[in-house]
């Protein structure tokens, strides 16, 4: 069975590389991009099994990226995990209304990310 694919869209290069490396070590096929444009472009071409999107990044924040991708039948039910430094309640409400699987507040432990990723991938497998 091929590895589940994950797109990580994060504008902080060091953090993006850390998350990507960690998830690859867990056996996932990971592609990391730095902005919303690249996230949409890659997702439309490759249809990842999971999207991990930074809420605030250039060329399309995580919410707008998810909104654009939900219009495509192959991506409409792809689980999304949002990441943010923003502690505001509005972000939590927006993520919930957007249908996100989870919202992680940075900084977070990589083990916490892995637990959420496993849950989201399991959800994706059941929906398939």
């Amino acid at each position: 069975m091929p590895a589940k694919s994950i797109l990580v869209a994060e504008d902080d290069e060091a953090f993006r590389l850390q998350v990507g490396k960690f998830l690859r070590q867990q056996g996932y096929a990971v592609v990391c991009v730095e902005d919303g444009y690249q996230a949409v472009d890659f997702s439309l071409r490759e249809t990842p099994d999971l999207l991990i999107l930074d809420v605030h990044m250039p060329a399309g924040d995580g919410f707008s990226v998810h909104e654009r991708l939900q219009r495509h039948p192959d991506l409409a039910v792809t689980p999304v995990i949002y990441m943010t430094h923003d502690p505001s309640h509005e972000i939590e409400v927006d993520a919930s209304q957007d249908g996100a699987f989870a919202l992680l507040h940075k900084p977070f432990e990589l083990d916490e990310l892995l637990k959420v990723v496993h849950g989201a991938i399991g959800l994706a497998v059941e929906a398939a």
Side-chain angles (χ1 to χ4, degrees), residues 23-34:
L23 292 173
R24 283 185 198 98
Q25 290 172 339
Q26 306 308 311
Y28 292 105
V30 181
V31 171
C32 295
V33 299
E34 64 186 50

Side-chain angles (χ1 to χ4, degrees), residues 46-78:
E46 301 295 330
T47 316
D49 297 306
L50 175 64
L51 304 169
I52 301 177
L53 305 174
D54 186 14
V55 170
H56 300 290
M57 61 183 163
D61 62 49
F63 293 122
S64 65
V65 167
H66 188 213
E67 180 182 334
R68 289 185 64 194
L69 295 177
Q70 284 180 311
R71 296 180 200 149
H72 297 274
D74 292 341
L75 294 163
V77 296
T78 302

Side-chain angles (χ1 to χ4, degrees), residues 36-128:
Y37 176 81
Q38 292 174 354
V40 170
D41 183 58
F42 175 81
S43 297
L44 292 176
R45 285 184 289 112
E46 301 295 330
T47 316
D49 297 306
L50 175 64
L51 304 169
I52 301 177
L53 305 174
D54 186 14
V55 170
H56 300 290
M57 61 183 163
D61 62 49
F63 293 122
S64 65
V65 167
H66 188 213
E67 180 182 334
R68 289 185 64 194
L69 295 177
Q70 284 180 311
R71 296 180 200 149
H72 297 274
D74 292 341
L75 294 163
V77 296
T78 302
V80 173
I81 298 169
Y82 288 117
M83 306 179 292
T84 187
H85 281 290
D86 189 334
S88 72
H89 179 68
E90 290 81 21
I91 293 291
E92 292 182 18
V93 170
D94 290 346
S96 177
Q97 290 175 342
D98 196 45
F101 182 82
L103 172 66
L104 296 174
H105 291 278
K106 299 181 221 174
F108 51 79
E109 296 294 324
L110 292 175
D111 287 340
E112 178 185 2
L113 172 64
L114 184 60
K115 182 178 178 182
V116 173
V117 165
H118 284 176
I121 294 290
L123 179 68
V125 169
E126 291 173 19

Side-chain angles (χ1 to χ4, degrees), residues 14-25:
F15 187 67
R16 180 177 65 242
L17 294 174
Q18 178 187 24
V19 168
K21 179 180 178 181
F22 175 75
L23 292 173
R24 283 185 198 98
Q25 290 172 339

